Amino acid sequence: MQTMRPTPVTDGKVTVPPAETPGLRGLLSLAVAAVVVCALYFAREVLIPITLAVLLSFLVAPIAAWFRRWRCGRAGSVMLAMLLPLVVLLGLGTIIGTQISALIQEVPAERTIIIKKIDTIRNATIGNYNSFVKQAGKELQHAASPHQVSRLLNQPPPPERVSVVPQPTAPSDVAKGIVGPLLDPLAEMFIVFVVATFILLYREDLRDRMIRLFGSTDLHRTTTALDDAAERLSRYFLTKFLINAGFGIVVGLGLFAIGVPGAILWGVLTTLARFIPYIGSFIAAVPPLLLAAAVDPGWSMAIWTLVLFVVGEMLVGQVVEPMMYGRTTGLSPISVVIAAIFWGWLWGPIGLLLSTPLTLCFVVLGRHVERLEFLDVLLGDRPALTPVETFYQRALAGDPDEALDQAEILLRDRSLCGYYDTVVLPALRLAAGDAARGALYPGQLERITMTVAELLDGLSDQDDAEKPEHTASLADPAGQSLAEQTEPHPSAPQLYLPPQAQLAPIWQGAAPVLCIAGRGPLDGEACAIIAQLLSKHGIGTRVVAHDAAARTHIASLDTEGVALVFLCYLDIAAAPSSLRYLAQRIRTACPDAPISAGFWTSKADYERYADFQAAIGATYYPTSLRDAVDQVLGAAIAMAQRAPVSPILADPESQSEEHVFRLGLPIQPGAA
């Protein structure tokens, strides 16, 4: 069923088509998603060890490759690489067990302080409530009648209390109670290490099978996806481990300096707990905080412990991680939170630890598989809209503040003219096309004009100067900066207007350029942009509406002091006859002034419109706002020097065929 669009009607309103019912393909996709989620939940006992093994292989693969470069052989390098995490786990287990044993022996020595602190807290909270209840009971007792008091006194004594003494526990039962809970984790860890070892041993064979299974007809895309996933996961795990280990060391040293018992234990647990997104540090802070509050006679130890965790987490989360991660993950912050909730619900605590790497794998799939692109849009951190689409959306919503925020970011690495050329002008062309098709709803056109007007006012203090190359701070995880998401025209040598006294008399007026808007609803906004850009270079511009140059008003059009006439049509192809007749009327009204007709298109389209240009008969045909500014400045400079062919450039040696094309001037022999 073809999608319907709003169409204009005679009363100026638009019709809204009814909502479509879900198709068979949509229902099938929903059913497949539900089946996949159910399979992930019910098969978690099998999938969790396999997933842990795959992620462990990604983490250990660089280590195995390093051992293999030292000629340890395939099997030897894998065994040595797998031995490293095993040693780390055994070491952590030993440290944790030793610290817990020491803590069990140390805490009873502080029994008096702990009891006193508990009594203090109880008296401050529950004790007040108990005192109130006792006082209320006494008052009620005094208010009771003598008969009720005698009945209470004659109650039978309470029954005697009987206690049951359990039989002595056998040593085998004690051993079973200790070893039993450890069997399942140890068995699962053994399975994880065995599967990870085989994955590393047959890594190339598994990769070839994955390529054959998912993309044998497109080896380039499949190989790129696998390499991208492996690189991102390896970098994520390595960076995450280094950050968490550093934070755990800082916490352990800080707690040792504060005097909290078991500082090494809490540092290790902080390192492990911080793998849980966002809340791991706060979970790890609870045990040492409670212990500090219990063993310290005062509250200073607990306060310093809280300060250590809060300040450390803020520094690591806001400073260290953004600097070290860079383009590591490619996940948006909201997707990390949602993924933690989803995988935690699906697989429990293990799901919390695996939520980020699993989501990262889905983002890589969405980035390289066309049918799964929605995963990259929903979970990735790349902008969902291009800068042009973002500006158009802000304009449709009537949100000039957001448009100004976007402009400030983009203007860090481009000139004002470049920003208008690559963002605002294409967005206005989109809006003009939608308006011509009747796709805009009532009020949206007014919002667009209001947004553009406030944008021009907000950027009135910006200089139109070339900026440095794209900065790394604006780059997205795929390495594509915001500037690279648009296609700016090649930079031309900067023209400099001589002092006003050296210009021709007609160019010394307040508004030597007359800019006439086309018949489109947004051509006036394009004229306002051109006027602002020319004013940045010292040339005044007078903007008039299309009706001022109509047949019935052309005779009364004020053309005194006009050195150049600029005709601005956002979509020339939509109104060729109107532009041609308008150029004829302007040529009659201003026979000595050159005419510039804006062709907001590429060089290839410019050459396609050669016959149309001959029919218009204009002097200049700019393809961008930069072209328009350069041509106007070139015309003023040429007239000032009485040399209509050779404009003054910042670097005379930098003339080229491309630049002469942009100025709309004939190519000189040997200039290219």
Side-chain angles (χ1 to χ4, degrees):
M1 181 177 180
Q2 187 176 2
T3 303
M4 299 179 60
R5 297 182 179 274
T7 55
V9 294
T10 55
D11 58 355
K13 299 181 180 179
V14 293
T15 59
V16 180
E20 298 181 5
T21 57
L24 179 61
R25 184 174 180 179
L27 294 176
L28 183 61
S29 301
L30 184 61
V32 170
V35 170
V36 169
V37 172
C38 292
L40 290 174
Y41 179 78
F42 290 107
R44 60 186 182 274
E45 299 296 336
V46 177
L47 294 178
I48 288 177
I50 296 177
T51 304
L52 288 173
V54 172
L55 296 179
L56 180 61
S57 67
F58 278 115
L59 179 62
V60 179
I63 304 174
W66 184 81
F67 280 119
R68 195 170 183 181
R69 285 195 294 267
W70 285 88
R71 301 184 183 277
C72 296
R74 178 190 295 271
S77 61
V78 170
M79 294 302 174
L80 290 175
M82 292 301 299
L83 187 63
L84 182 61
L86 183 61
V87 170
V88 171
L89 287 177
L90 292 177
L92 290 178
T94 303
I95 293 174
I96 293 175
T98 305
Q99 288 289 303
I100 291 177
S101 177
L103 194 61
I104 292 175
Q105 296 177 2
E106 184 177 352
V107 169
E110 309 290 342
R111 183 172 180 273
T112 305
I113 299 176
I114 296 175
I115 294 175
K116 183 178 179 182
K117 188 65 67 66
I118 293 175
D119 290 339
T120 303
I121 297 175
R122 184 178 59 186
N123 293 333
T125 55
I126 303 177
N128 293 334
Y129 176 75
N130 291 337
S131 300
F132 173 76
V133 172
K134 290 180 181 179
Q135 184 65 28
K138 291 179 179 180
E139 294 179 358
L140 291 174
Q141 184 176 359
H142 289 303
S145 62
H147 177 70
Q148 292 174 339
V149 173
S150 62
R151 188 179 62 182
L152 291 174
L153 293 176
N154 294 329
Q155 286 183 352
E160 296 183 1
R161 184 171 299 177
V162 179
S163 60
V164 179
V165 179
Q167 295 181 355
T169 305
S172 59
D173 296 335
V174 175
K176 186 184 298 184
I178 296 175
V179 177
L182 298 177
L183 289 179
D184 288 341
L186 290 176
E188 187 169 345
M189 186 174 66
F190 176 76
I191 295 173
V192 169
F193 272 84
V194 170
V195 175
T197 302
F198 277 93
I199 290 175
L200 290 174
L201 285 174
Y202 301 99
R203 182 182 179 189
E204 290 77 9
D205 180 67
L206 290 175
R207 181 192 60 192
D208 296 341
R209 294 178 184 276
M210 293 290 292
I211 292 175
R212 178 61 185 270
L213 182 62
F214 293 107
S216 59
T217 58
D218 194 352
L219 292 176
H220 171 72
R221 177 175 295 182
T222 307
T223 304
T224 302
L226 292 176
D227 292 343
D228 189 12
E231 180 184 0
R232 287 179 181 273
L233 285 174
S234 298
R235 291 180 58 189
Y236 167 76
F237 279 124
L238 181 60
T239 307
K240 189 72 173 177
F241 174 76
L242 292 177
I243 293 176
N244 293 355
F247 185 68
I249 292 173
V250 171
V251 168
L253 293 176
L255 293 178
F256 178 78
I258 295 172
V260 179
I264 299 178
L265 172 64
W266 308 130
V268 173
L269 292 181
T270 301
T271 300
L272 299 177
R274 210 176 178 281
F275 280 97
I276 302 175
Y278 295 111
I279 62 174
S281 298
F282 301 102
I283 294 176
V286 173
L289 187 62
L290 295 177
L291 184 61
V295 302
D296 184 22
W299 296 97
S300 60
M301 187 180 294
I303 293 174
W304 281 112
T305 302
L306 181 62
V307 170
L308 174 64
F309 275 93
V310 172
V311 174
E313 177 61 25
M314 290 179 61
L315 290 177
V316 173
Q318 303 299 325
V319 179
V320 178
E321 285 185 339
M323 291 175 58
M324 294 190 66
Y325 277 151
R327 301 193 298 263
T328 299
T329 59
L331 299 177
S332 64
I334 186 64
S335 69
V336 175
V337 176
I338 295 176
I341 297 173
F342 174 77
W343 290 107
W345 164 74
L346 205 62
W347 285 356
I350 297 295
L352 283 176
L353 297 176
L354 300 179
S355 60
T356 300
L358 288 175
T359 308
L360 179 58
C361 294
F362 284 111
V363 169
V364 172
L365 283 176
R367 194 160 292 178
H368 297 283
V369 180
E370 185 177 356
R371 294 191 63 180
L372 300 178
E373 187 181 2
F374 70 94
L375 294 174
D376 184 27
V377 175
L378 293 176
L379 305 176
D381 65 346
R382 292 197 298 184
L385 301 176
T386 65
V388 175
E389 295 168 341
T390 301
F391 176 81
Y392 186 27
Q393 189 276 329
R394 303 296 188 268
L396 286 173
D399 193 350
D401 295 332
E402 290 289 337
L404 277 172
D405 288 341
Q406 182 204 33
E408 291 175 357
I409 296 175
L410 294 174
L411 284 172
R412 296 175 188 172
D413 63 348
R414 68 186 71 188
S415 64
L416 181 63
C417 188
Y419 166 68
Y420 285 144
D421 255 333
T422 57
V423 178
V424 180
L425 194 62
L428 290 179
R429 294 190 65 191
L430 287 176
D434 289 344
R437 295 183 295 106
L440 296 182
Y441 293 96
Q444 288 184 326
L445 193 60
E446 289 75 11
R447 294 176 187 173
I448 295 173
T449 56
M450 180 268 295
T451 301
V452 174
E454 296 199 22
L455 177 70
L456 292 175
D457 182 66
L459 299 179
S460 59
D461 297 334
Q462 287 281 342
D463 294 329
D464 184 24
E466 296 296 334
K467 301 294 177 64
E469 292 297 325
H470 317 314
T471 57
S473 62
L474 295 177
D476 69 359
Q480 184 183 31
S481 66
L482 290 177
E484 292 171 338
Q485 295 177 22
T486 56
E487 299 180 358
H489 290 264
S491 298
Q494 183 67 47
L495 295 176
Y496 295 95
L497 197 68
Q500 189 174 11
Q502 299 180 15
L503 295 174
I506 196 170
W507 283 95
Q508 297 180 12
V513 176
L514 176 64
C515 188
I516 301 177
R519 300 178 62 179
L522 297 173
D523 290 337
E525 280 62 37
C527 287
I529 294 175
I530 295 172
Q532 186 187 72
L533 291 174
L534 291 177
S535 66
K536 303 292 183 182
H537 296 272
I539 295 179
T541 304
R542 178 161 56 96
V543 178
V544 297
H546 183 271
D547 293 341
R551 291 185 178 85
T552 56
H553 300 89
I554 189 66
S556 60
L557 180 64
D558 184 11
T559 59
E560 184 178 356
V562 174
L564 183 143
V565 179
F566 198 99
L567 307 181
C568 183
Y569 278 72
L570 285 174
D571 191 2
I572 292 180
S577 300
S578 173
L579 176 59
R580 180 162 56 90
Y581 290 125
L582 177 60
Q584 292 176 2
R585 295 195 298 271
I586 295 301
R587 196 177 301 110
T588 302
C590 303
D592 298 329
I595 299 175
S596 179
F599 267 70
W600 314 124
T601 182
S602 63
K603 183 178 179 180
D605 293 335
Y606 173 90
E607 294 172 349
R608 270 193 324 174
Y609 288 129
D611 297 337
F612 184 40
Q613 297 166 20
I616 296 174
T619 310
Y620 305 114
Y621 299 95
T623 60
S624 65
L625 293 172
R626 172 56 67 194
D627 292 345
V629 173
D630 283 350
Q631 290 171 3
V632 173
L633 294 177
I637 294 171
M639 187 173 292
Q641 298 295 326
R642 298 285 187 255
V645 175
S646 301
I648 301 174
L649 299 177
D651 181 9
E653 300 296 331
S654 62
Q655 290 194 53
S656 63
E657 179 179 350
E658 174 68 19
H659 180 249
V660 173
F661 156 75
R662 295 184 64 210
L663 288 180
L665 301 172
I667 301 175
Q668 296 301 308

